[in-house]
């Protein structure tokens, strides 16, 4: 039995929510809040979480299952996150919805290790290591989608998203090895590595769909653009001290890396009914992708930065494809089938620069036949065959 309850408009809206908080041993805490606001045309949902337990969700009913489903990583984890989701629909002709997410997470991990390795002749190798790791990640993400029904035959949809991320990591460690006794040191190492990464990007896409008076005749046009930028700055230092024979070795590197990716896509699809059971479709795409990277590594030589030609390098990659395909479809009560042919002209350019410069260029066209029949027996047994190429 199904009962369909329809509420009056004055009872549809309102504000409701819930909140939870907890505190435990070793200064562990977690808290969460959920709120919802609804009217005839607007819906807004907000969720917030804060904890230092490493769990992603504090609003689970069973604590053991929650911890098993969201196992925290090693170390002390502190996280604050917020999420807002909204929707707007005053009329069926226009809809707008989206979401915004923000989060900040910290991880602190201290480890110590002592290892004894037993060698031949009753000798032992002792190793002691201490590590201190810290990381912080901040993120923002926005997603939007709008659709507009011009009329029953024409529809347009616009999507957009953008994000920003910043990440800082630090790793400091001390190593020591000795033979037989801890004071018989033969090697020491001090390492200090730090990095900072900034990344941001956006995607925009638009799709237009049109249906004609003739049943089965449709056309859709779409276009999109994507842009991503990554910037990294790193400092790596290692101080090695040897006792037998005595000597020191110090390496310090400063790394700057910039990455950039751009992509576009334009597509067109047209379908035409050739009768009650026959459909013909034509599809075309123009796909372009460009990616660049420049990595500069400098060695710190007594306070003077000297370019490391072995680790410094850059690349440029450009790809363009123009696939076009023709597909025929047949539909009946027990048998459906499609057959078609795709052609994919493409061009590629790749450049790698470092100690030497290498360039690779390629142009080609490939063909892909497609065949996909499907048959259903009177006893509802189904047989499929799919053939395609890549």
């Amino acid at each position: 039995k199904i009962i369909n309850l329809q509420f009056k408009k004055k009872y549809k809206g309102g504000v409701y929510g819930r909140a939870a908080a907890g505190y435990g041993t070793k200064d562990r805490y977690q808290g969460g809040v959920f709120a919802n606001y609804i009217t005839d045309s607007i819906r807004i949902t907000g969720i917030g979480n804060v904890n230092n337990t490493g769990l992603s969700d504090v609003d689970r009913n069973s604590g053991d299952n929650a911890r098993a489903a969201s196992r925290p990583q090693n170390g002390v984890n502190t996280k604050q996150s917020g999420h807002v989701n909204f929707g707007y629909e005053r009329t069926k002709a226009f809809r707008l919805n989206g979401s915004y997410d923000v989060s900040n997470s910290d991880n602190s991990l201290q480890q110590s290790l002592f290892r004894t390795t037993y060698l031949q002749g009753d000798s032992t190798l002792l190793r002691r290591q201490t590590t201190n790791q810290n990381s912080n990640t901040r993120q923002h993400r926005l997603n939007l989608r709008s659709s507009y029904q011009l009329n029953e035959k024409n529809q347009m949809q616009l999507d957009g998203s953008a994000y920003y991320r910043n990440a800082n990591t630090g790793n400091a460690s001390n190593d020591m090895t000795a033979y037989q006794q801890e004071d018989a040191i033969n090697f020491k190492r001090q390492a200090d590595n730090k990095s900072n990464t900034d990344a941001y990007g956006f995607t925009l896409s638009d799709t237009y769909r049109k249906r004609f008076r003739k049943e089965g005749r449709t056309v859709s046009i779409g276009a999109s653009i994507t842009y991503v930028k990554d910037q990294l700055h790193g400092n790596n230092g290692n101080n090695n001290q040897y006792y037998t024979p005595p000597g020191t070795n110090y390496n310090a590197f400063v790394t700057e890396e910039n990455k950039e990716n751009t992509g576009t896509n334009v597509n067109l699809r047209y379908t035409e009914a050739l009768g009650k059971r026959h459909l013909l479709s034509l599809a075309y795409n123009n796909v372009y992708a460009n990616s660049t990277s420049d990595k500069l590594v400098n060695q710190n030589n007594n306070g003077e930065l000297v370019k490391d030609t072995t680790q410094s390098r850059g690349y440029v990659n450009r790809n363009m494809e123009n696939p076009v395909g023709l597909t025929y479809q047949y539909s009946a009560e027990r048998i459906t089938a499609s057959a078609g042919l795709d052609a994919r002209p493409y061009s590629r350019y790749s450049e790698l620069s470092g100690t030497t410069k290498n360039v690779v260029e390629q142009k080609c066209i490939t063909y892909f036949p497609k065949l996909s029949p499907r048959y259903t027996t009177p006893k509802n047994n189904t047989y499929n065959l799919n053939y395609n190429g890549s």
Side-chain angles (χ1 to χ4, degrees), residues 262-312:
T262 306
T264 61
N265 188 336
V266 178
N267 59 81
L268 169 67
R269 178 175 290 274
Y270 176 79
T271 61
E272 179 72 30
L274 304 178
K276 185 178 180 180
R277 303 185 183 278
H278 309 274
L279 188 69
L280 192 67
S281 62
L282 174 67
Y284 168 75
N285 274 24
N286 176 272
V287 183
Y288 173 78
N290 182 78
S291 60
T292 62
S293 175
D294 291 308
K295 182 178 181 181
L296 175 62
V297 180
N298 290 312
Q299 185 173 10
N300 191 335
N301 188 5
N302 296 325
E304 182 181 357
L305 296 179
V306 180
K307 181 179 178 180
D308 188 317
T309 58
T310 303
Q311 299 187 66
S312 300

Side-chain angles (χ1 to χ4, degrees), residues 155-159 204-210 219-225 263-270 282-288:
Q155 182 184 10
M156 182 175 291
Q157 180 175 302
L158 179 64
D159 296 295
L204 292 174
S205 63
D206 185 23
T207 303
Y208 168 74
R209 301 182 181 93
K210 179 177 177 59
V219 63
S220 65
I221 303 172
S224 66
I225 180 172
T264 61
N265 188 336
V266 178
N267 59 81
L268 169 67
R269 178 175 290 274
Y270 176 79
L282 174 67
Y284 168 75
N285 274 24
N286 176 272
V287 183
Y288 173 78

Side-chain angles (χ1 to χ4, degrees), residues 22-30 51-54 67 73 75-78:
Y23 183 82
T25 58
K26 298 183 179 180
D27 292 327
R28 299 296 191 184
Y29 62 87
Q30 59 185 31
N51 69 81
N52 66 350
T53 61
R67 183 170 293 277
Q73 65 184 112
V76 178
N77 301 281
T78 304

Side-chain angles (χ1 to χ4, degrees), residues 373-390:
R374 173 176 175 172
Y375 174 70
T376 304
T377 67
K379 294 184 178 181
N380 288 327
N381 295 319
T382 303
Y383 298 91
N384 293 292
L385 173 66
N386 289 294
Y387 172 80
N388 54 50
S390 64

Side-chain angles (χ1 to χ4, degrees), residues 228-245:
V228 176
K229 177 79 171 181
D230 283 289
Q231 296 174 307
L232 179 142
H233 175 81
N235 286 281
N236 301 317
N238 288 281
N239 188 6
N240 303 315
Q241 185 174 0
Y242 305 90
Y243 289 79
T244 28

Side-chain angles (χ1 to χ4, degrees), residues 28-317:
R28 299 296 191 184
Y29 62 87
Q30 59 185 31
V33 62
F34 166 83
N36 213 3
Y37 171 75
I38 298 178
T39 67
D40 288 343
S41 56
I42 299 175
R43 175 191 53 79
I44 302 175
T45 302
I47 301 173
N49 282 304
V50 58
N51 69 81
N52 66 350
T53 61
L55 299 179
S56 59
D57 188 356
V58 301
D59 194 23
R60 306 265 186 118
N61 293 325
S62 53
D64 292 338
N65 292 335
R67 183 170 293 277
S70 180
R71 185 75 62 185
Q73 65 184 112
N74 291 333
V76 178
N77 301 281
T78 304
K79 184 175 183 179
Q80 305 90 33
S81 64
H83 170 83
V84 177
N85 188 293
F86 68 90
Y88 174 81
E89 184 181 352
R90 182 169 293 276
T91 64
K92 292 185 178 180
F94 178 74
R95 297 178 182 179
L96 174 66
N97 56 68
S99 64
Y100 172 70
D101 293 271
V102 58
S103 66
N104 180 71
S105 60
D106 289 280
N107 175 263
S108 177
L109 174 64
Q110 294 180 348
Q111 289 180 312
S112 61
L113 174 147
F114 184 80
R115 176 179 294 166
T116 301
T117 304
Y118 296 92
L119 308 175
Q120 293 181 352
D122 295 331
S123 61
T124 57
L125 176 66
L126 309 178
R127 181 189 178 191
R128 183 180 296 278
Q129 181 186 42
T130 59
T131 305
N132 191 347
Q133 299 177 1
N134 294 279
S135 64
N136 171 263
T137 303
R138 293 177 294 139
Q139 297 187 85
H140 299 265
R141 180 173 291 274
L142 176 67
N143 294 288
L144 294 172
R145 166 170 287 185
S146 64
S147 61
Y148 186 63
Q149 191 81 29
L150 303 172
N151 50 53
E152 62 177 8
K153 301 291 185 182
N154 297 273
Q155 182 184 10
M156 182 175 291
Q157 180 175 302
L158 179 64
D159 296 295
S161 64
Y163 78 94
Y164 169 77
R165 182 180 70 252
N166 174 263
N168 289 282
T169 61
N171 188 333
S173 63
N174 290 279
D175 274 290
M176 178 273 291
T177 60
Y179 284 111
Q180 302 297 109
Q181 299 177 355
E182 284 196 60
D183 55 358
I185 301 173
N186 71 324
F187 174 74
K188 278 186 178 181
R189 173 190 289 128
Q190 290 181 325
D192 189 9
N193 303 317
K194 297 178 182 178
S195 67
N196 176 272
T197 302
D198 276 306
Y200 58 89
F202 69 87
T203 298
L204 292 174
S205 63
D206 185 23
T207 303
Y208 168 74
R209 301 182 181 93
K210 179 177 177 59
R211 291 187 300 159
F212 295 85
R213 292 183 178 179
K214 182 180 177 181
E215 188 70 23
R217 178 183 294 174
T218 63
V219 63
S220 65
I221 303 172
S224 66
I225 180 172
T226 300
Y227 177 80
V228 176
K229 177 79 171 181
D230 283 289
Q231 296 174 307
L232 179 142
H233 175 81
N235 286 281
N236 301 317
N238 288 281
N239 188 6
N240 303 315
Q241 185 174 0
Y242 305 90
Y243 289 79
T244 28
T248 58
N249 176 262
Y250 178 72
N251 294 314
F253 297 94
V254 178
T255 302
E256 300 284 348
E257 187 170 6
N258 292 284
K259 296 181 179 180
E260 199 171 35
N261 297 282
T262 306
T264 61
N265 188 336
V266 178
N267 59 81
L268 169 67
R269 178 175 290 274
Y270 176 79
T271 61
E272 179 72 30
L274 304 178
K276 185 178 180 180
R277 303 185 183 278
H278 309 274
L279 188 69
L280 192 67
S281 62
L282 174 67
Y284 168 75
N285 274 24
N286 176 272
V287 183
Y288 173 78
N290 182 78
S291 60
T292 62
S293 175
D294 291 308
K295 182 178 181 181
L296 175 62
V297 180
N298 290 312
Q299 185 173 10
N300 191 335
N301 188 5
N302 296 325
E304 182 181 357
L305 296 179
V306 180
K307 181 179 178 180
D308 188 317
T309 58
T310 303
Q311 299 187 66
S312 300
R313 62 184 60 196
Y315 69 77
V316 177
N317 289 324

